[in-house]
Amino acid sequence: MRNIPQKVIHQYLRHDKKFPHVWCAGCGNGIILGDLLRAIYNLGLEKDDIAMVSGIGCSSRMPVYVDFNTLHTTHGRAIAFATGIKMAKPELKVIVITGDGDATAIGGNHFIHAARRNIDLTIIVINNNIYGMTGGQCSPTTPIGKFATTAPYGSIEPNFDICELAKCAGASFVARSTAYHTTETRTIFEKALMKKGCSVVEVISQCPVSYGKMNNTSSPVKMLEMQRDGTLMREAYDKLPEDKRQGKIIRGILYDIEKPEFIDQYQALVDRVSKPIQVKESGKTSKPTSQECEV
Amino acid sequence: MSTDRHAGKPILLQGNAAVALGALDAGVQFFGGYPITPSTEIAEILSEELPKRGDKFIQMEDEIGSIASVLGASIAGLKAMTATSGPGFSLMQENIGFGMEAEIPCVIVDVQRGGPSTGLPTSPAQGDIMQARWGTHGDHPVIALYPDSILECYELTIRAFNLAEKYRTPVILLMDEVLAHMRESVVLPAKDKLKIIRRIKPNVPPEWYKHYKNNPKYISPVASFGEGYRFHITGLTHDESGFPTNRHDEAKDMMDRLLKKITDNLDDLIQIEPFYMEDAEIAIFAAGVVARSAKEAILQARKKGIKVGLIRPLTIWPFPDQDVEDMLESTKAVIIAEMNQGQLINEVKRVTKYGQHNRFYRIQKYNGLVITPEEILQKIAEVA
């Protein structure tokens, strides 16, 4: 039998399911999904051991296409659903796929609290600076002065730095990449997936159709080039003089520390309180018995 | 807060504690919640008890996160619940709808308080009856139970879990604030006497498994994440494998299944308590604590020779249409007593073919106080 060469990602896609996908031509979501699947392949993770959870938005349609335990939730709530899954089955590798609007607008509360708990989730925020699925409304990451269908005169609101937000809220692994830098993205995904704790990876992506059309950059190639030219690896950025840093976005692993993880802490609590009541030498228990407690 | 369990011996128990005990005895494995008066004791007790058993408790950042975590835990195979009150119940509605659409078993306790908005946080009201039925968007049936005693808080919590697991759906336990915070002497059944239902698991190879496979009973076996069945769950209209669909026939099939698994099983779902209804000329329709006042009023009225009885739904949704209609057929008048501006009265009118039974009387109280036996007695005297 002839050996047909297959791409790595094919073994993770649901061949018989809902293709073609919903994404527009030129979108970064497919590139990023490819990076994620290659990272999963490189790590040798079992499909059964992965739960992929998403909210609502273009990127949140990703779970439909991949052969894992997949869950497509309500807008902004992916992290909260994922928290329940992770607590129920700590052995699962729980990956949250979310967009900038989903994660930092409607889901902002869950995002910061997952980071605060440092719960072992891999949260991938695909940031295209716009609400793509609803047709190009401004998001908390739309830069000041940029246009959106709901910011026809240019956005006047300062935008979130997703990585800073995650770091300050308590995530133990924070990184940024772009759809252009696929090898870097894959490597970062590998590290994020293996990190015990809340890992947040922001991947800057292009939305030529909704963001581009409003902001004069409707060429996907041009947008990818902007990702290439507008970002710098952390090491390179650190070497730049202050005046040349203006407007540059830092890529790479921005923050990676060891700190107590929520599921571990919960298990430690269970171990502590589920122990049988210690019997003191006098024969009396250290805790009041049920009879003594009776009302 | 005592949660000591003495089967066969009377213990003094608070309503919220009875719910927590019922949940523990039903085998709850996950509680995700956010504190809100008057439901907090349920979370407090479970935060103490669940870790002792190796089970999971988490205080989430808000009610939306709470119900989301509960659904997530249930998807991963745990018996899961949350408890809240009016404003929190409102916040949960979108995700309760997700649970209905995606057919995820879980229990939501709503200890009702005065409203609208933050209303009367520490006072009783029965204003969420329609929220339990129609709170989330779209249309689908709902199972909601309504206890009137502390023992029933315990029993109906277990029943709520059993129905959630059996019918693969969120189940709502509606409670009155009075019930949540009052204490009563109760005798709990022995644990081994309890009937505990668990969801049906698939017995087909993973590649054959369909998460929403239609069958004559409309309830398909449910696999959990991490068991080797890889499948997709979405809040979008989906086909039987769980994938989003826009096909009109598949959309209808899904909606029909949600409806029929309830409407085909009314005999199993409906519980109703008739009280002195055998020869009643006047009927009172009331739920929860109002039914307790009604019972007292009936006993007093009966002493005066007035033939009055009570119909009390333990299952408030689906509404016990047939039973209420049958029982009211032989009565001359019906008094609907409720702590709101009139939610149950329209249901009773609906099932008695509005207009044919023209003697409807109402007691509606929404000032944060309970309807007293005297008020009901007065109305009985007026009607008789």
Side-chain angles (χ1 to χ4, degrees):
Chain A
M1 200 172 136
R2 205 157 66 93
N3 199 10
I4 303 164
Q6 276 207 341
K7 288 183 180 171
V8 161
I9 56 169
H10 286 171
Q11 61 186 289
Y12 296 102
L13 297 178
R14 284 170 163 146
H15 304 264
D16 54 339
K17 296 301 189 300
K18 306 284 176 178
F19 285 98
H21 57 66
V22 295
W23 300 316
C24 310
C27 174
N29 285 336
I31 302 172
I32 297 161
L33 176 59
D35 294 338
L36 177 63
L37 296 180
R38 286 184 193 96
I40 287 168
Y41 173 79
N42 288 350
L43 294 171
L45 299 175
E46 292 291 329
K47 288 187 198 177
D48 284 334
D49 297 339
I50 295 171
M52 190 188 269
V53 188
S54 70
I56 297 292
C58 301
S59 58
S60 289
R61 286 299 187 96
M62 211 174 266
V64 176
Y65 308 117
V66 289
D67 191 19
F68 305 131
N69 301 285
T70 53
L71 173 63
H72 177 224
T73 71
T74 44
H75 192 26
R77 315 302 169 198
I79 291 171
F81 275 79
T83 300
I85 292 172
K86 185 72 192 176
M87 281 192 82
K89 287 241 165 79
E91 65 275 19
L92 285 176
K93 194 69 87 180
V94 182
I95 304 168
V96 176
I97 302 285
T98 173
D100 45 303
D102 197 51
T104 64
I106 186 167
N109 204 23
H110 311 303
F111 182 75
I112 58 172
H113 286 277
R116 175 180 65 82
R117 289 186 188 106
N118 195 31
I119 182 167
D120 186 23
L121 303 174
T122 304
I123 303 170
I124 296 171
V125 188
I126 299 179
N127 180 6
N128 58 9
N129 308 111
I130 202 91
Y131 283 86
M133 188 157 267
T134 40
Q137 297 77 25
C138 61
S139 95
T141 60
T142 304
I144 286 193
K146 293 295 181 186
F147 295 90
T149 58
T150 48
Y153 309 112
S155 171
I156 55 164
E157 295 179 20
N159 55 311
F160 266 138
D161 180 329
I162 292 172
C163 288
E164 281 298 315
L165 181 65
K167 180 188 160 187
C168 295
S172 57
F173 182 97
V174 179
R176 184 187 284 123
S177 189
T178 78
Y180 178 86
H181 300 91
T182 54
T183 317
E184 262 175 54
T185 307
R186 196 202 64 218
T187 316
I188 286 173
F189 283 162
E190 284 171 22
K191 291 189 171 142
L193 284 165
M194 293 319 286
K195 177 76 184 184
K196 181 130 192 168
C198 183
S199 349
V200 175
V201 183
E202 176 190 0
V203 189
I204 296 168
S205 183
Q206 69 281 5
C207 174
V209 173
S210 286
Y211 184 83
K213 81 172 174 209
M214 299 294 293
N215 291 287
N216 220 11
T217 51
S218 53
S219 152
V221 175
K222 196 174 160 195
M223 293 188 85
L224 282 162
E225 285 170 352
M226 286 163 66
Q227 292 167 19
R228 178 192 64 196
D229 301 334
T231 62
L232 270 180
M233 276 302 277
R234 189 180 164 189
E235 295 74 17
Y237 181 89
D238 288 345
K239 284 180 199 150
L240 275 188
E242 197 71 43
D243 58 318
K244 296 217 169 140
R245 289 180 176 180
Q246 201 61 32
K248 293 282 185 190
I249 295 168
I250 323 172
R251 303 192 320 268
I253 295 165
L254 308 181
Y255 193 64
D256 185 4
I257 60 157
E258 295 305 318
K259 62 194 278 191
E261 189 273 331
F262 176 73
I263 300 294
D264 278 352
Q265 295 300 299
Y266 191 84
Q267 191 52 49
L269 165 73
V270 166
D271 293 343
R272 182 154 52 87
V273 300
S274 63
K275 276 184 198 155
I277 295 166
Q278 300 274 316
V279 179
K280 282 183 181 173
E281 280 177 17
S282 64
K284 274 211 150 193
T285 54
S286 59
K287 275 185 167 184
T289 62
S290 54
Q291 271 77 23
E292 283 165 332
C293 286
E294 198 176 353
V295 195
Chain B
M1 188 69 53
S2 170
T3 50
D4 296 327
R5 202 186 182 295
H6 295 281
K9 278 190 200 167
I11 55 170
L12 192 65
L13 206 58
Q14 190 208 47
N16 279 341
V19 170
L21 261 184
L24 288 165
D25 286 355
V28 66
Q29 295 163 297
F30 182 94
F31 182 98
Y34 188 80
I36 181 168
T37 304
S39 75
T40 42
E41 290 87 354
I42 300 170
E44 286 167 358
I45 293 166
L46 292 174
S47 73
E48 191 179 337
E49 297 301 323
L50 287 174
K52 285 189 201 165
R53 315 196 314 179
D55 291 321
K56 312 295 163 69
F57 173 92
I58 186 167
Q59 181 170 318
M60 289 297 284
E61 48 274 9
D62 56 32
E63 282 91 347
I64 302 173
S66 302
I67 180 71
S69 71
V70 164
L71 294 171
S74 181
I75 288 166
L78 300 190
K79 277 194 179 184
M81 78 176 295
T82 187
T84 189
S85 182
F89 193 46
S90 299
L91 283 172
M92 289 181 182
Q93 289 295 346
E94 186 199 10
N95 279 339
I96 293 174
F98 185 95
M100 301 288 176
E101 170 91 29
E103 301 181 58
I104 303 169
C106 65
V107 171
I108 301 125
V109 181
D110 172 29
V111 183
Q112 298 171 88
R113 60 190 240 182
S117 189
T118 26
L120 297 162
T122 55
S123 301
Q126 297 182 324
D128 298 351
I129 290 170
M130 282 297 165
Q131 190 187 185
R133 177 65 189 92
W134 295 111
T136 183
H137 57 280
D139 56 345
H140 57 84
V142 164
I143 304 174
L145 312 179
Y146 211 143
D148 90 331
S149 70
I150 305 305
L151 181 63
E152 240 176 52
C153 286
Y154 170 86
E155 290 171 344
L156 290 192
T157 303
I158 295 175
R159 181 165 156 79
F161 272 101
N162 283 346
L163 295 179
E165 296 282 318
K166 186 172 178 184
Y167 291 98
R168 216 187 139 174
T169 184
V171 171
I172 294 160
L173 182 74
L174 273 182
M175 273 172 60
D176 294 317
E177 185 275 340
V178 175
L179 222 49
H181 283 152
M182 79 180 201
R183 287 171 170 79
E184 237 174 4
S185 177
V186 297
V187 179
L188 297 179
K191 255 189 196 172
D192 53 10
K193 293 277 187 292
L194 298 171
K195 192 187 169 205
I196 304 296
I197 297 174
R198 286 204 70 103
R199 63 192 77 168
I200 305 164
K201 307 302 286 184
N203 58 1
V204 295
E207 60 273 21
W208 295 3
Y209 177 66
K210 284 197 163 60
H211 199 54
Y212 301 98
K213 176 82 181 156
N214 231 342
N215 61 30
K217 290 186 167 174
Y218 303 104
I219 307 155
S220 35
V222 50
S224 305
F225 277 12
E227 289 180 344
Y229 295 86
R230 296 190 299 275
F231 52 95
H232 186 63
I233 299 179
T234 179
L236 290 163
T237 296
H238 44 263
D239 59 21
E240 55 178 26
S241 59
F243 290 97
T245 179
N246 282 329
R247 274 177 50 180
H248 309 306
D249 55 340
E250 288 179 338
K252 186 175 183 302
D253 280 353
M254 195 207 75
M255 292 292 282
D256 283 348
R257 192 178 61 248
L258 295 186
L259 180 69
K260 283 181 178 166
K261 70 178 177 182
I262 304 300
T263 52
D264 278 16
N265 292 295
L266 292 178
D267 287 347
D268 184 36
L269 291 168
I270 302 280
Q271 280 189 339
I272 189 162
E273 183 198 17
F275 182 79
Y276 283 96
M277 280 303 292
E278 303 79 22
D279 61 342
E281 290 168 357
I282 303 167
I284 300 169
F285 189 87
V289 286
V290 180
R292 293 172 73 107
S293 294
K295 283 176 186 172
E296 176 60 27
I298 288 164
L299 293 177
Q300 289 182 31
R302 286 260 166 189
K303 281 182 195 159
K304 295 177 190 164
I306 306 172
K307 287 183 177 171
V308 56
L310 167 75
I311 305 170
R312 177 175 75 91
L314 282 76
T315 310
I316 194 91
W317 303 116
F319 196 76
D321 290 19
Q322 197 57 54
D323 303 75
V324 174
E325 192 185 354
D326 291 350
M327 280 190 240
L328 287 183
E329 206 172 30
S330 52
T331 60
K332 291 177 186 159
V334 54
I335 300 167
I336 293 98
E338 50 185 331
M339 279 148 53
N340 55 49
Q341 293 181 327
Q343 300 191 12
L344 287 174
I345 187 166
N346 290 326
E347 287 303 301
V348 179
K349 281 182 174 176
R350 178 179 61 78
V351 301
T352 50
K353 298 184 186 71
Y354 185 74
Q356 287 183 23
H357 198 300
N358 53 14
R359 291 190 70 194
F360 284 100
Y361 298 86
R362 58 181 79 196
I363 306 174
Q364 284 157 2
K365 198 168 174 182
Y366 35 85
N367 59 355
L369 293 172
V370 177
I371 296 173
T372 61
E374 292 71 35
E375 285 167 312
I376 297 176
L377 198 57
Q378 200 182 338
K379 186 65 86 177
I380 293 171
E382 218 173 279
V383 172

